[in-house]
Amino acid sequence: MQIILLHPRFSAKTVTLTHWHLILAALGFVFSVIMAASLLYYLTFRHAADLNIPLMRDMVASATHDFDDPSKKDKYIKENLAAMAMKLGEMQAQLMRLDALGERVQGLAGVKPQEFNFKELPGRGGAEPASGKEMSLSMSEFQQALDAMARDVEHRADYMNVVETALMSNKIRTKLLPTIQPVNVAYNASGFGWRVDPFTGRSAFHEGIDFASAVGTPIVAAAGGVIIAAEYHHQYGNMIEIDHGNDIVTRYAHASRLLMKVGDIVKRGQHIADIGSTGRSTGPHLHFEVLVKGMQQDPHKFLSAGANQAKMAALMAK
């Protein structure tokens, strides 16, 4: 862009403007507007009290003198205290739920109540702070700390719910595993694996454990489940089978008496039959099998796990 300047005493003069000149001129204009607005703002609010402008006077008074008025200051404090009291009440309710949840989790985990009491505050202490290392909390800072604590309590409640669910699932799975001995005897007459068959005298694989005891000795369920068989079998004699879920079935054979029928729901340790010598048997005993997906497994593995759990529970109870 070219600009021609004319003057009566001088000859014409040409000035060439590039785009850089235009950009600088625009920036200068914007800067001038900002400076003018800032100066006007400063002068207006600085001397608003001397000007007879009601709107400006009210704005300045509300911005600068709210806390000079004791009644307004008290109203502000009361409103904040009421809001914090509501927040504190919500936190107290959350803590009560958290205490109840903690006690349930404590019971599921087997922790002694005297070792971890949720209703007692933990001990705290320390050296007295040196001078200059203490500071008072403002109202806004206290409100922020209260909000942060409320969020932490809510998060911890969520974590405890997850832990409780996991512990409950584990406890249910444990109760559905055949981990308690079905007969109260000190030893078994024949274990799982290869042995000499008492009828043929030849080596044969024994698919369970034999517990020898007197006729009429109670047989209990090794775990909770549903009765899927309660019948006479030409080899197992009077026999009961319990489905424990997760493809796990237990078999109790050679009983003298069956106390359950198909479809009954039994609990862990419930009396289901009595020892006898029916079927292919040389004397009174219980033939006990554990089947996983239809395949016989060594019952001793499950019973040993149950014995170890009982020992741990006994130690934690002391």
Side-chain angles (χ1 to χ4, degrees), residues 270-287:
Q270 183 175 343
H271 186 191
I272 59 173
D274 293 333
I275 281 184
S277 184
T278 57
R280 191 172 183 267
S281 170
T282 61
H285 72 285
L286 166 67
H287 174 79

Side-chain angles (χ1 to χ4, degrees), residues 75-88 143:
K75 182 180 178 181
Y76 173 80
I77 294 175
K78 288 179 180 179
E79 290 176 351
N80 279 273
L81 287 176
M84 287 189 287
M86 292 179 60
K87 179 64 70 175
L88 185 60
Q143 181 68 47

Side-chain angles (χ1 to χ4, degrees), residues 66-196:
D66 273 354
F67 291 104
D68 292 340
D69 188 349
S71 62
K72 292 184 178 180
K73 186 175 182 179
D74 291 342
K75 182 180 178 181
Y76 173 80
I77 294 175
K78 288 179 180 179
E79 290 176 351
N80 279 273
L81 287 176
M84 287 189 287
M86 292 179 60
K87 179 64 70 175
L88 185 60
E90 294 175 359
M91 290 179 60
Q92 288 175 339
Q94 288 178 331
L95 285 174
M96 290 178 64
R97 290 196 297 267
L98 194 59
D99 287 343
L101 180 59
E103 290 180 354
R104 293 200 302 270
V105 172
Q106 175 184 355
L108 290 172
V111 180
K112 295 180 182 178
Q114 59 269 27
E115 291 182 358
F116 202 94
N117 192 345
F118 283 87
K119 295 181 180 180
E120 292 183 1
L121 292 175
R124 296 186 295 176
E128 184 178 357
S131 60
K133 292 187 178 181
E134 291 181 303
M135 56 185 301
S136 301
L137 288 176
S138 65
M139 188 72 72
S140 61
E141 290 173 338
F142 183 72
Q143 181 68 47
Q144 291 175 2
L146 198 62
D147 292 339
M149 186 176 294
R151 289 192 298 270
D152 288 343
V153 169
E154 186 175 354
H155 292 162
R156 280 160 174 75
D158 293 339
Y159 297 151
M160 290 287 282
N161 279 317
V162 173
V163 173
E164 182 192 27
T165 302
L167 287 173
M168 182 65 73
S169 299
N170 183 61
K171 189 171 184 178
I172 292 174
R173 285 195 300 269
T174 301
K175 285 189 174 182
L176 295 178
L177 290 176
T179 54
I180 67 169
Q181 191 166 297
V183 181
N184 186 20
V185 295
Y187 69 97
N188 58 77
S190 181
F192 180 85
W194 292 95
R195 68 171 185 175
V196 176

Side-chain angles (χ1 to χ4, degrees), residues 197-211:
D197 187 276
F199 289 94
T200 65
R202 301 173 64 180
S203 180
F205 193 86
H206 188 222
E207 297 176 335
I209 294 179
D210 291 342
F211 295 96

